[in-house]
Every structure is written in structure tokens, then in C-alpha cells.
């Protein structure tokens, strides 16, 4: 059995969470605000690592680890997509998280491969299914839907999104 939890000073286990996002500071917007607030709050109760594009990240000191993967948001060739996927897999192998959280549905293109290492969950926002936020070789919708099916849990952020998810991910 793998041991991927770190001990706190009180001797309690803390979950180890890897949070992937392509929407973080210095970008401005609703998803960026949501991710920033949730990551900050989660880092108080778990060992959290944030994975973003190199041009994104916390603007100052933070209570979590920050790692980057080039081309996380914009991967337009199959070769580049495979290289990004392998980089993320290596990070997951090294960190051995209990949970990998995908901050948007587009990142679910990585879910099937990552679910071999940890439980994968995803947040699904308003336009994630109708206008994905990720550049991917070819049409992203089919691999995104397959990835969402591989997730252990989906967090939908409205009744409207829940209806879209029910239609797309039976």
C-alpha cells in the first residue's frame, strides 16, 4: 500500500492534493478568483501543490507548493500533447497525491492517464462543455468527455452545468 500522506505537527494525516489549473493569477476572472480562493483555503488543511502554466502562479508568499508545466493551456500538436501528459504523469508519480483536482473540464483530457496514479476529480464550470478553455490537437470535446468519465467525482457549479454534464457524461 502506498503512503502518500504527510504528518502534521499534531500527528494527524493530511491529504496530499495536486490541483491543476490553466486559470490563475495574473489572469483576472471568475474562474481565476474561484481557484485562488479554494486553493488558499485547501492549503490550510492539506498538503497542496498547484500546477499551472509557467506564466501563472501566486503573486506572493503562499502556503502551498507551485509547479509549472509549459504548454499546459495550449497544446496544439499530438506530439506536444503527449509530452505535456508525460510531464504531468511524472509530477504525479513524484508527488503521489491522494487526489488530483482538475480545475476545469478541459483538463480532463489528462484524467484517464492520471487516474492510474490517484483519484481524479474535476470542477465543471459554465462554458467548459460548450466552449472549452484549452487548446488541444483536433476537437477537444471527445477526449474531454472521455476524461470526465474517468473522474471519480465531478463538481458542477450550477444547475445549468449539471444538466449539460448529465447530457454529455451519461
Amino acid at each position: 500500500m502506498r503512503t502518500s500522506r504527510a504528518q502534521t505537527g499534531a500527528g494527524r494525516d493530511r491529504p496530499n492534493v495536486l490541483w491543476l489549473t490553466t486559470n490563475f493569477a495574473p489572469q483576472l476572472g471568475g474562474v481565476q478568483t474561484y481557484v485562488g480562493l479554494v486553493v488558499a483555503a485547501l492549503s490550510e488543511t492539506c498538503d497542496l501543490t498547484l500546477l499551472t502554466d509557467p506564466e501563472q502562479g501566486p503573486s506572493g508568499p503562499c502556503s502551498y507548493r507551485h509547479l509549472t508545466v509549459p504548454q499546459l493551456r495550449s497544446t496544439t500538436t499530438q506530439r506536444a500533447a503527449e509530452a505535456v501528459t508525460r510531464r504531468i504523469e511524472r509530477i504525479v508519480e513524484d508527488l503521489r497525491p491522494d487526489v488530483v483536482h482538475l480545475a476545469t473540464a478541459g483538463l480532463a483530457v489528462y484524467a484517464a492517464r492520471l487516474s492510474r496514479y490517484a483519484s481524479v476529480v474535476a470542477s465543471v464550470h459554465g462554458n467548459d462543455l460548450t466552449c472549452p478553455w484549452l487548446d488541444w490537437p483536433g476537437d477537444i470535446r471527445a477526449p474531454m468527455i472521455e476524461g470526465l468519465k474517468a473522474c471519480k467525482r465531478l463538481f458542477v457549479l450550477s444547475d445549468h452545468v449539471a444538466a449539460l454534464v448529465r447530457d454529455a457524461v451519461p
Side-chain angles (χ1 to χ4, degrees), residues 123-138:
S123 290
V124 184
H125 303 263
N127 293 326
D128 280 1
L129 299 178
T130 57
C131 184
W133 308 54
L134 196 71
D135 292 330
W136 191 255

Side-chain angles (χ1 to χ4, degrees), residues 62-158:
C62 60
S63 57
Y64 51 87
R65 180 188 302 178
H66 177 235
L67 302 174
T68 63
V69 170
Q71 296 184 298
L72 183 62
R73 182 183 183 108
S74 183
T75 309
T76 55
T77 68
Q78 196 58 46
R79 183 176 177 183
E82 180 60 27
V84 169
T85 303
R86 282 195 312 269
R87 283 187 205 113
I88 297 169
E89 281 181 308
R90 283 194 298 275
I91 289 168
V92 171
E93 287 174 339
D94 289 345
L95 292 176
R96 299 174 64 180
D98 299 298
V99 175
V100 174
H101 186 278
L102 309 172
T104 57
L107 290 166
V109 295
Y110 304 112
R113 299 246 313 249
L114 299 180
S115 66
R116 297 185 301 200
Y117 306 99
S119 294
V120 178
V121 300
S123 290
V124 184
H125 303 263
N127 293 326
D128 280 1
L129 299 178
T130 57
C131 184
W133 308 54
L134 196 71
D135 292 330
W136 191 255
D139 188 353
I140 191 174
R141 285 175 182 80
M144 178 179 64
I145 296 301
E146 287 307 308
L148 290 172
K149 290 177 183 177
C151 290
K152 188 168 191 133
R153 175 92 50 215
L154 301 178
F155 301 102
V156 296
L157 301 182
S158 71

Side-chain angles (χ1 to χ4, degrees), residues 9-27:
R12 296 175 305 156
D13 287 342
R14 287 170 47 106
N16 184 1
V17 176
L18 175 62
W19 190 289
L20 276 74
T21 188
T22 57
N23 302 97
F24 203 76
Q27 290 180 332

